[in-house]
Amino acid sequence: MGGGKIDVYMDIVSLYSYLAFLDLQRNGDLLKAHNVEVEFHPVLLGAINVGSGNKPPWTLPAKAIYGAHDARRSIARFPGVVIQTPKDLMAVSKTIVPNRALHFIKSHHSPSAFLTALHYLMHLFWSPPNLNLTLPENVAKALLECPADFTSSSSSSSSSSSLSSTAAARSGQEGEKGKKLFTKQQVEEIMKGVETKVVKDALKNATQEALDKGAFGNPWFWVTNGEGKGEPFFGSDRFHFIYKFLGLPFQDVTLSPPAGASKL
């Protein structure tokens, strides 16, 4: 069938949203070839938990223990991407400022600039030394240092306490080294925009939209197929269901025979 749209509701504080983003970026060209549009909507996970009556998984001890195993296995699907959970995740979980900044960028800059900024902020949040993005000054500095061609594959795996030095190391091609995504004036405009009612409402409305579509966590997908039918999907490991719903060709999980053995 082909065609359709994937709306992704996500908060940078959500590890699995980051992994879903990486998966969708990895398959971006193929999705475009199948005429599938992907749109990311920054939301507040905490507000979704409250609005849906859900609780963070680590509040249940058994889930917390299992979650460590699940996270390790999920991260392993992206070789070369260095991920480290912040020491005090709850202390840095109120990502209102960066999510508002992303809404401003989304409405005032190109789609590619929005995706690059989104990627870079998630990378800084989830990679050592884990930048605290609840602080406006850190968000501003991150946007000012964001490489114009940032990708996880071009990032440095070495940790550093200096955002400036890590940003320089994370530049992509040698010819583009030092080129930034935003100018100082643009970053100032973004940070001013964070405080406007329009941007505050954009984040609030996106969060409510996710709740209205049944969200109880992140990443939350609302997928519309080529026939105009929409359904919800939850989690970073549900793409086989999403692709089937969209009518896309994909290789499902298959079990192979032992090495050297004939087919059973």
Side-chain angles (χ1 to χ4, degrees), residues 1 223-225 229-231 233 241-247:
M1 182 170 57
V223 183
T224 306
N225 64 21
K229 180 182 177 182
E231 281 192 11
F233 297 82
F241 295 140
I242 291 175
Y243 296 154
K244 184 175 182 179
F245 180 72
L246 289 170

Side-chain angles (χ1 to χ4, degrees), residues 24-43:
L24 287 166
Q25 289 295 95
R26 183 165 60 185
N27 290 293
D29 290 342
L30 284 172
L31 288 166
K32 287 180 182 178
H34 286 292
N35 298 313
V36 175
E37 178 186 357
V38 179
E39 183 174 0
F40 295 91
H41 306 272
V43 298

Side-chain angles (χ1 to χ4, degrees), residues 202-226:
L203 177 57
K204 180 180 178 181
N205 293 339
T207 303
Q208 186 59 50
E209 184 176 288
L211 283 167
D212 292 342
K213 291 182 175 180
F216 52 81
N218 275 181
W220 189 262
F221 304 91
W222 187 264
V223 183
T224 306
N225 64 21

Side-chain angles (χ1 to χ4, degrees), residues 9 43-54 207 210-211 215-218:
Y9 297 89
V43 298
L44 292 175
L45 178 56
I48 287 178
N49 282 336
V50 172
S52 65
N54 196 6
T207 303
L211 283 167
F216 52 81
N218 275 181

Side-chain angles (χ1 to χ4, degrees), residues 226-259:
E227 297 177 346
K229 180 182 177 182
E231 281 192 11
F233 297 82
F234 172 66
S236 64
D237 56 354
R238 295 295 188 269
F239 286 108
H240 52 310
F241 295 140
I242 291 175
Y243 296 154
K244 184 175 182 179
F245 180 72
L246 289 170
L248 305 181
F250 68 97
Q251 184 174 347
D252 207 345
V253 177
T254 57
L255 184 65
S256 300

Side-chain angles (χ1 to χ4, degrees), residues 16 129 157 188 259:
Y16 292 97
S157 61
E188 291 174 351

